[in-house]
């Protein structure tokens, strides 16, 4: 089944075949790779591609279909979704528009909640402040809209990926003609 | 030697002290907050006691509780590590009062050096250079000229009400002095409603260079070759090396002797560090402060001198005489330390607490890992984000750097983001390799580079992620019959396909 | 420097060489047998190629295949590591013929030193001492007296047909000579139907002490302070230290110069080791053999000299001149190496191949792990059982030993038995601490002790096993709802009970 | 439920209670221990007993009810069986008598098989030779008896715990009165 990979905003069409156990053929767009695959310990891959050897750590993240890949010290965050699923998703939500479910980017304590349901917020407006390891981090609204709900509570700890609040897009009474 | 030592700290430094005690044959007592029951130091010590809830002020800063634990456990000495109670004179006195040895300097040294003013007065009397400048405000233009000559150019004119660059004026030579004085005054008046200004020497390409000293209870004190700690982020040291690329034998001796004078000013009798600000331009050095504790970056000094600072600090607290003299202290090769923080270098260095789900530590020649990490550790959100220190030694500065790059490439921390990849980029920076660094190095060279960066193995990453997704989907399809359980199953899969393997090129 | 280096080996030495190459900026090529697809060196190298089935003769000893891989991959040099092809003159010549540099000495050096007779002749001509003895059999009593004087007492009279202690006679002084001669002859006749006997100097408390030499392609050669490798099991080195407890400056120079003469005898131009047998009684030393390769125990020499032998070996093969002279070689502190084998010290040192299900490696000051292990590795049954080498440095011999004990206590290998606990017992042995060791040390001191041994924490072990069993049974009772999944679930269990915790003693 | 622990031939009666999660009370014969328990990673225990802290690795082995415990470098092999089960077992098999299922003590290759079904063997007689890492290891019969079956085949690899052969006890025609 084909996948759509997204990394740093760029998307690539991906196909995977496994002609023999441990032997993969992976195509990225028009580039094709023969891969000798081994997983010596869970989530640690040893890949040999045309003689080149790579030690790769691949871990699923708390975001569905998203993987954290560690190679020679660099971390790559890659979304790998089945093509049909992706198409569906795109229809429902065009980029940073539509309903925004804001999730916590890290574990920490909710230091301040600056909005409440019903508030009108502008794009980039600070909604709440998270604190971890003595550092304060602002969570901003990606769109202009109305706060639909606030899950975060001041002084309460959250884990990475926990929902913080929801912002509904702003619809003016009279749609701009 | 002591019968039993309590370490009033957490994290890597506690592990460091426990290791030194083990090697000295002294049993150890760990204390931990409720958030740290899972911490490595709890398991590493011979004994461990909970001293309260997660917040430091309710646990690691509770000197009273810690002393009670020490008494109850029969410890006759307390090592404070760094941070927390390490530079708290009252705690040091409380230990003494309880008949327990505080492994650190005498309380007076802590108190005097702990205060900016008293420390400067103390060391100035001993002839240790301070940044030249006025301690009061300018009254007149004549006074300005007179003071400017005393201070020496370049000079920084500063608004007394100060802040935000307003009323700051740099003055390179005397002609510029009076005009600058007038503008500074009017700017400052406009900005703060107060035209008071004063002058200080401007330090060009400021570098942070410090001298490790080591004293015993018998009046002996020695200094070690310097450490340079100019690679900083938000005034937080990130990379340290020893010796400094700009310090030669003569300068080393001059700084070392100044450090000894500063230490003598407070009868220093333990391990400590005298910090200097050094002009990268003129190579003049000026006293900043003295840290009356064992410092985070002490290992690089250990690597070039062969002196076990942590062990000697404990021995001298136990009353032993230093086992070597100044002339025995050598400077052999180069050492480098990278501080590994739980921060995401690709996302504004946001802290990244969480669970370490995988850990592989670098090894091999002249690589030293000073860590509080283990696989399975939940990095708590309550404390400093430093996870470990990676230290290497090399016979030359170049070998030191290439070795660190090699070691960083072996260091795998999974589950949370760390600053490991950031270190690798700093170490590949031309200016760093040339030793042309100062305390603004990272802000100047890095924030931009970080955003723009292209990662070299994107295709391999995509291939890996694709195979991962494919195998997961397949496993689901097979209703999870083992295909994704990794290790064993794949190994055996491979064994079966072993003989079918593509011939590698002949 | 080379464009690309192939390492014709496996295990920890391959990792060691790959690390050196990384630090030199040279890409690496690994080769592996079908049993080693999972091996660490396959992942550590930049490239990896399978060279055949598990048995060494079909893979790691297949010089032809390895050369083909090297050519196909564009490697211009091959590092043989130790064992396998490292002392195979034909392979070295084949490399040369293929235009690929063999990282080792010239083939003639390998050939001459690879043969007991030719090597002894070669070094003897250079005035290197051999164990005094006869090269033919005794013909008469007069000849016996005459030879005995040449050889010097104590003397060992041996049956030419030899074996099993039969016909062996120790002779301390001349009065004993002729009686011993007669008994030896009759015994030997009775035992082997042949009364031929000969004499050799008897070495009392034989110690194995060796000298590392390092030469370049320009005729420069230096020696390093000695290594003592007297702690052996079944003639297999187990623990090595540098320098030797019984060698002083004068003896060090004498042995070093003898080693240089031996090396010069074959125009030695790489890293190599001259092994001597030394009388613990008289401290006389005699040539045993020269190993024309990088040796397992090279790290301890690196730790006391600061010389990166592996890197210098590669550089000299690339034609670089040695970067230091004899007078630059220092001897700083003490270093110790423990070889960690996959053997069960509590069960006749039976090999213990199998899967490493858990691994925690020691760290901290002056501890160096040279390992081919990782969590999840299936230790194959086909190769040498050495898993890793644990190396430490200390400013004194005592600190070196206490540090190794500390490091061993941190080394956790789970899933297979290893010799880690055995090393700890050797290091606590009175005689070892006193430096009173010889090549029979382990057989004499240990086999018995091992059986009898009482383990200090039996009750804690029973408690742990009991809790494990209890939790497993409970989990089964609960139809496996997570209670036994460890980590997370327990951590959270604990968090819930955190505030209920028993107060530790105040 | 009470257990019977066996270590180096000595047996101990063991009781375990868990009054609060993470808090255990374990009695060994008449010795009782309060244990603060944590399992920071699977099979790694952090035990605090009366203030003393122990890092303990506890792994189940391929032998049922038997655990390998690693403390400060020493390995303890401990059998921990529920009391009733143990009693049962003892009835059925008194020490090294009765039917002997010989299992491989380690992974390796079967180098030689020296007996075949029906052979009479004496106690201590070498039945077969295993080879691993170039070392040969003799597998001996713990009792006098008759070889009932041989599972091991020459040249074939075995894993630790794999069955090798079975020896039935020797019954003389006329039981010794």
């Amino acid at each position: 089944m084909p996948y759509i990979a997204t990394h740093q905003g760029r998307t690539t069409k991906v196909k995977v075949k496994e002609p023999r156990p441990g032997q993969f053929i992976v195509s990225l767009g028009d580039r094709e790779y023969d891969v000798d695959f081994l997983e010596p310990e869970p989530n640690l891959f040893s890949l040999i591609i045309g003689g080149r050897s790579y030690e790769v750590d691949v871990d699923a993240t708390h975001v569905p279909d998203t993987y954290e890949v560690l190679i020679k010290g660099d971390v790559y965050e890659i979304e790998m979704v089945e093509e049909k699923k992706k198409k569906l998703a795109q229809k429902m939500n065009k980029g940073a528009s539509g309903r925004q479910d804001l999730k916590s980017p890290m574990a920490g304590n909710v230091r301040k909640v600056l909005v409440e349901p019903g508030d009108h917020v502008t794009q980039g407006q600070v909604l709440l402040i998270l604190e971890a390891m003595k550092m304060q981090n602002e969570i901003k609204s990606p769109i202009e809209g109305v706060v639909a709900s606030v899950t975060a509570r001041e002084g309460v700890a959250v884990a990475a990926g926990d929902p913080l609040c929801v912002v509904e897009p702003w619809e003016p009474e009279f749609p701009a003609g | 030697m002591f019968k039993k030592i309590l370490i009033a700290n957490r994290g890597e430094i506690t592990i460091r002290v426990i290791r030194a005690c083990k090697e000295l044959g002294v049993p150890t007592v760990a204390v931990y907050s409720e958030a740290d029951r899972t911490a490595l130091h709890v398991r590493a010590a011979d004994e461990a006691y909970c001293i309260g809830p997660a917040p430091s002020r309710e646990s690691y800063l509770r000197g009273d509780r810690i002393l009670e634990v020490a008494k109850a456990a029969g410890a006759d000495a307390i090592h404070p590590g760094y941070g927390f109670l390490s530079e708290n004179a009252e705690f040091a006195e409380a230990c003494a009062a309880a008949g327990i040895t505080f492994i650190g300097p005498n309380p007076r040294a802590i108190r005097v050096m702990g205060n900016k003013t008293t420390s400067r007065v103390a060391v100035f009397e001993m002839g240790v250079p301070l940044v030249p400048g006025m301690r009061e405000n300018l009254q007149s233009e004549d006074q300005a000229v007179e003071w400017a000559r005393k201070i020496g150019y370049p000079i920084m004119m500063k608004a007394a009400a100060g802040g935000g660059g307003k009323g700051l004026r740099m003055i390179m030579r005397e002609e510029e002095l009076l005009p600058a004085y007038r503008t500074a005054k009017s700017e400052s008046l406009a900005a703060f409603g107060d035209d008071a200004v004063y002058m200080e020497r401007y330090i060009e390409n400021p570098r942070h260079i410090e001298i490790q000293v080591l004293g015993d209870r018998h009046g002996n004190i020695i200094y070690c070759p310097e450490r340079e700690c100019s690679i900083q982020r938000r005034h937080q040291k990130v990379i340290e090396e020893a010796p400094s690329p700009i310090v030669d034998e003569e300068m080393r001796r001059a700084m070392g002797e100044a450090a000894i004078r500063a230490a003598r000013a407070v009868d220093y009798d333990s391990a400590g560090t005298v910090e200097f600000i050094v002009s990268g331009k003129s190579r003049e050095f000026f006293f900043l402060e003295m840290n009356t504790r064992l410092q985070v970056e002490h290992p690089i000094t250990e690597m070039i001198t062969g002196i076990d600072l942590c062990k000697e600090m404990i021995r001298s607290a136990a009353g032993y005489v230093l086992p070597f003299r100044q002339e025995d202290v050598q400077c052999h090769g180069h050492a480098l330390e990278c501080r590994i923080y739980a921060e995401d270098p690709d996302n504004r260095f946001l802290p990244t607490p969480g669970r370490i789900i995988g850990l592989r530590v670098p090894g091999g020649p002249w690589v030293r890992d000073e860590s509080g990490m283990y696989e399975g550790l939940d990095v708590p959100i309550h404390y400093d984000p430093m996870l470990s220190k990676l230290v290497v030694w090399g016979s030359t500065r170049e070998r030191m750097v290439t070795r660190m790059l090699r070691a960083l490439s072996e260091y795998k921390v999974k589950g949370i983001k760390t600053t490991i990849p950031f270190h690798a980029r700093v170490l590949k920076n031309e200016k760093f390799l040339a030793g042309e660094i100062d305390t603004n190095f990272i802000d100047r060279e890095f924030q931009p580079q970080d955003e723009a960066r292209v990662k070299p193995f994107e295709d391999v990453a995509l291939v890996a992620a694709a195979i991962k997704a494919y195998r997961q989907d397949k496993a689901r399809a097979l209703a999870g019959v083992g295909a994704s359980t990794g290790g064993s199953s794949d190994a055996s899969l491979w064994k079966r396909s072993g003989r079918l393997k593509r011939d590698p090129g002949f």
Side-chain angles (χ1 to χ4, degrees), chain A, chain B:
Chain A
M1 49 211 136
Y3 295 86
I4 300 296
T6 310
H7 178 239
Q8 294 182 331
R10 294 183 305 284
T11 64
T12 315
K13 182 162 181 178
V14 179
K15 288 211 194 67
V16 182
K17 287 198 233 76
E18 188 177 11
R20 296 191 304 281
Q23 301 297 317
F24 287 84
I25 299 168
V26 179
S27 60
L28 309 176
D30 49 12
R31 310 188 296 291
E32 186 169 276
Y33 296 97
D34 274 4
V35 184
D36 179 331
F37 166 91
L38 179 77
E39 192 172 14
E41 50 184 302
N43 303 323
L44 171 63
F45 289 4
S46 166
L47 305 178
I48 303 179
I49 304 174
R52 309 214 142 274
S53 178
Y54 302 93
E55 181 180 77
V56 184
D57 288 281
V58 188
D59 293 273
T61 68
H62 54 78
V63 184
D65 296 321
T66 302
Y67 303 92
E68 212 164 77
V69 183
L70 177 63
I71 304 175
K72 299 188 197 285
D74 276 317
V75 176
Y76 303 74
E77 263 172 13
I78 295 174
E79 187 198 51
M80 189 68 59
V81 193
E82 287 180 46
E83 196 171 23
K84 43 187 185 308
K85 200 164 146 196
K86 182 76 174 179
K87 291 222 177 81
L88 212 65
Q90 276 160 340
K91 277 206 206 65
M92 292 176 55
N93 173 344
K94 318 170 201 56
S97 69
R99 177 192 171 85
Q100 298 293 310
D101 277 318
L102 297 178
K103 300 198 183 327
S104 175
M106 57 183 214
N109 275 317
V110 177
R111 181 59 180 280
K112 275 216 164 334
V113 177
L114 303 163
V115 294
E116 49 189 49
D119 288 2
H120 171 268
V121 293
T122 60
Q123 185 177 7
Q125 180 177 336
V126 179
L127 304 174
L128 36 82
I129 295 172
L130 284 183
E131 184 178 60
M133 291 165 170
K134 303 177 176 45
M135 263 195 57
Q136 307 214 347
N137 312 286
E138 302 175 332
I139 305 300
K140 297 173 178 165
S141 175
I143 57 166
E144 178 178 19
V146 176
V147 178
S149 65
V150 181
T151 326
R153 297 274 165 272
E154 280 189 15
V156 176
V158 290
D162 284 0
L164 297 174
C165 73
V166 177
V167 179
E168 294 285 3
W170 172 253
E171 276 101 23
E173 261 66 41
F174 304 103
Chain B
M1 183 43 65
F2 300 111
K3 293 196 311 294
K4 196 183 278 185
I5 295 176
L6 181 148
I7 300 99
N9 214 302
R10 65 181 302 283
E12 66 83 22
I13 191 61
T14 307
I15 301 297
R16 172 70 183 98
V17 176
I18 288 172
R19 281 171 168 155
C21 292
K22 271 191 184 167
E23 295 175 10
L24 289 167
V26 181
T28 52
V29 179
V31 292
Y32 61 95
S33 76
E34 285 167 8
D36 270 343
R37 173 64 180 89
T38 62
L40 191 59
H41 73 279
V42 173
R43 272 147 54 199
D46 297 305
E47 301 178 36
Y49 301 98
C50 183
I51 50 168
S56 306
R57 68 189 170 290
E58 298 176 55
S59 48
Y60 297 106
L61 290 173
R62 285 290 302 273
D64 54 343
R65 291 193 138 219
I66 290 167
L67 271 171
E68 286 177 82
V69 173
K71 281 181 249 167
D76 52 353
I78 293 179
H79 195 303
Y82 50 68
F84 295 129
L85 297 167
S86 60
E87 293 174 288
N88 180 320
E90 289 65 34
F91 180 67
E93 282 157 347
C95 290
I100 291 174
T101 306
F102 176 82
I103 300 177
N106 62 76
R108 187 181 140 259
I110 301 175
R111 188 164 279 119
V112 171
M113 288 302 180
N115 173 295
K116 211 174 179 64
T117 315
T118 54
S119 64
R120 289 183 176 206
V121 172
V123 305
F124 188 68
E125 282 168 358
M126 300 289 285
V128 178
L130 303 176
V131 175
M134 309 171 59
R135 303 276 171 261
E136 74 272 25
N137 297 330
L138 269 174
Q139 304 306 336
S140 71
E141 301 202 340
D142 303 357
Q143 198 198 16
V145 176
E146 181 190 319
W147 260 107
R149 291 189 181 140
K150 259 194 263 167
I151 293 171
Y153 294 89
I155 282 172
M156 183 60 80
M157 176 97 54
K158 293 178 169 177
K166 281 269 178 302
L168 273 182
R169 274 273 165 287
M170 228 241 270
I171 304 162
M172 300 309 292
R173 63 193 70 76
E174 187 150 347
E175 307 86 274
E176 307 171 7
L177 176 60
L178 296 186
Y181 181 30
R182 300 185 191 110
T183 1
K185 273 171 70 173
S186 52
E187 259 192 36
S188 155
L189 185 63
F192 314 107
D194 168 6
D195 73 351
V197 298
Y198 67 99
M199 298 189 296
E200 212 174 58
R201 167 75 66 77
Y202 172 71
I203 310 295
E204 295 168 284
N205 309 108
R207 299 172 76 124
H208 177 114
I209 301 179
E210 58 188 30
I211 299 288
Q212 173 77 50
V213 298
L214 184 61
D216 62 21
R217 307 293 207 228
H218 308 275
N220 303 305
I221 185 155
I222 60 99
Y223 68 88
C224 297
E226 74 287 348
R227 297 185 289 251
E228 171 147 19
C229 315
S230 298
I231 307 293
Q232 307 182 348
R233 254 195 72 257
R234 301 188 193 138
H235 306 289
Q236 180 190 55
K237 294 168 185 171
V238 173
I239 297 178
E240 302 102 340
E241 69 178 296
S244 160
I246 62 159
V247 175
D248 57 20
E249 261 317 315
E250 187 193 338
M251 184 174 175
R252 180 165 300 131
R253 192 174 312 99
M255 291 184 80
E257 282 159 4
I260 293 285
R261 288 200 298 279
R264 292 235 180 259
V266 291
D267 307 310
Y268 205 78
D269 51 356
S270 182
T273 297
V274 181
E275 299 191 329
F276 296 96
I277 182 172
V278 178
S279 161
K281 197 85 165 288
S282 67
R283 293 171 68 246
E284 292 167 287
F285 60 89
F286 309 101
F287 175 87
L288 274 183
E289 61 175 353
M290 180 170 191
N291 298 323
T292 58
R293 59 167 196 268
L294 187 66
Q295 242 163 328
V296 173
E297 59 271 25
H298 74 276
I300 56 176
T301 301
E302 295 184 318
M303 299 321 284
I304 60 169
T305 60
I307 298 172
D308 188 328
L309 291 168
C310 186
K311 217 176 260 184
E312 297 305 341
M313 182 186 188
I314 295 169
R315 294 178 81 257
S316 77
Y320 288 86
V321 176
L322 284 186
F324 43 77
R325 278 162 283 96
Q326 185 64 56
E327 54 271 34
D328 304 325
V329 178
Q330 35 173 309
C331 179
H332 183 218
H334 297 255
L336 186 64
E337 171 176 283
C338 290
R339 300 188 184 191
I340 313 299
Y341 289 101
E343 295 174 343
D344 181 356
D346 290 341
N347 185 14
R348 298 158 29 240
F349 289 89
L350 277 189
T352 56
R355 168 169 285 244
I356 293 170
I357 60 173
L359 178 64
R360 297 197 300 284
V361 172
W366 293 291
V367 170
R368 168 176 172 179
D369 181 47
E370 292 286 345
S371 171
M373 281 189 283
Y374 66 87
E375 203 166 294
L377 173 67
D378 275 302
V379 178
I381 62 172
H382 310 92
Y383 312 106
D384 180 275
M386 194 175 80
L387 297 169
S388 72
K389 305 174 312 197
L390 183 57
V391 180
V392 305
W393 178 91
S395 55
T396 66
R397 187 170 188 263
E398 187 225 344
R399 288 191 175 193
M400 164 189 90
V401 171
T402 55
R403 179 161 288 138
M404 179 62 87
L405 284 167
R406 188 269 295 173
L408 287 166
S409 75
E410 293 176 8
Y411 212 148
K412 303 292 163 65
V413 181
K414 295 169 59 172
I416 63 174
K417 300 262 180 57
T418 73
T419 52
I420 289 170
F422 176 72
H423 286 294
R425 293 196 294 282
V426 172
L427 266 47
K428 288 172 186 159
N429 176 284
E430 300 290 319
K431 290 215 175 56
F432 176 84
L433 294 173
E436 292 161 11
I437 54 180
D438 59 43
T439 52
N440 308 315
F441 177 82
I442 286 181
D443 299 342
R444 196 174 53 239
E445 302 278 323
F446 277 88
Q447 304 324 6
Q449 177 176 332
D450 260 19
E451 315 309 328
R453 222 170 91 249
V454 189
K455 295 173 180 175
F457 298 102
E458 186 177 27
D459 270 14
V460 180
L462 289 168
V463 165
I467 293 176
K468 179 79 173 180
Y470 172 88
R471 286 164 54 80
Q472 280 187 336
D473 296 343
K474 199 172 106 197
R476 275 193 219 93
L478 296 169
V481 277
S484 75
T485 58
S488 52
S489 67
D490 296 304
S492 50
L493 274 182
W494 178 80
K495 280 198 196 71
R496 266 182 270 115
S497 68
R499 303 194 166 277
L500 305 172
K501 286 190 73 297
R502 171 173 37 71
D503 223 40
F506 55 82

